[in-house]
Amino acid sequence: MTSTCDHDHDHAGLHGAALIRALEGAEARMTAAGERMTPPRRRVLFLLLETGEPVKAYDLIARFGEDGQAAKPPTVYRALEFLERQGMAHRIASISAYVACAGHEENTAPHAAAFLICDCCGATREINGPDQGAMDAAAAAAGYAIARTTIEAHGLCAACRQAA
C-alpha cells in the first residue's frame, strides 16, 4: 500500500538474514506438515515478508519475477491460497490485499487474525485475535463450523492521529 499522508510511517518488512530465517522456518514447517514450499510459494512469501505491509495480488504478480517479468495470475493466486491455508498469510478483504502473518514463525495452523487498518495511510497491524476456542464453541452452538476468521478494524494509526 502506498501512503497518502505527508508524514513519516514505518512499514519495514524483513531483509537480509531475518528474511532468510523466516523463509527457512516456513519451509521447515511445511516439510514437517508434509507440504512442499514450491518456488512460486516461496517467492510470494518472500515478497510479502520483504514488503512488511499489505500488498495487492496484482502488485505481487508484477513483482514476481526476479528479472522483472510478471507472473501468470493463477501462479500467484494459487500460492496466496496455499499460504493463507497454511496460516502464513492473511487476506484483508476490505482493502483487497494480502499480508504475511505477523506470527508466521510461531503459527503452525490458521488462527483468528485481527487487523487494525489505518484509513489515512493504509498501515496495517496484526494483533491477537479473539479466543478461537470461544468462537468455535459459539459457532458450534449455532450449527456452524468455522473455517477461517479475519477481523478488520478501521481507524487511524498513531502517526496519523498525531499528525491530524
Side-chain angles (χ1 to χ4, degrees):
M1 299 217 66
T2 56
S3 174
T4 58
C5 301
D6 59 357
H7 52 275
D8 291 332
H9 294 85
D10 181 19
H11 299 292
L14 298 178
H15 299 284
L19 179 56
I20 299 303
R21 275 193 308 276
L23 288 169
E24 288 172 350
E27 193 153 358
R29 286 190 310 284
M30 290 303 90
T31 300
E35 298 285 351
R36 286 184 347 109
M37 183 62 84
T38 63
R41 293 169 178 173
R42 183 180 174 91
R43 179 66 179 155
V44 169
L45 183 57
F46 174 94
L47 292 170
L48 290 174
L49 290 168
E50 179 184 55
T51 302
E53 62 185 1
V55 183
K56 303 226 181 246
Y58 274 89
D59 292 331
L60 291 169
I61 290 166
R63 294 179 46 213
F64 184 85
E66 294 183 38
D67 58 356
Q69 288 284 22
K72 291 187 166 104
T75 301
V76 172
Y77 279 108
R78 280 193 297 262
L80 286 167
E81 183 180 293
F82 172 82
L83 294 170
E84 190 176 8
R85 246 188 355 259
Q86 299 303 316
M88 293 184 187
H90 300 290
R91 181 175 184 275
I92 304 176
S94 65
I95 57 174
S96 299
Y98 294 85
V99 65
C101 178
H104 55 84
E105 293 180 12
E106 299 84 30
N107 290 331
T108 57
H111 60 282
F115 293 94
L116 304 175
I117 304 162
C118 181
D119 290 327
C120 178
C121 70
T124 304
R125 177 180 219 161
E126 184 175 350
I127 60 172
N128 289 331
D131 175 41
Q132 188 68 46
M135 289 182 62
D136 289 341
Y144 285 81
I146 296 174
R148 178 174 35 253
T149 302
T150 305
I151 297 170
E152 303 175 25
H154 287 264
L156 293 177
C157 69
C160 291
R161 284 183 64 216
Q162 186 175 23

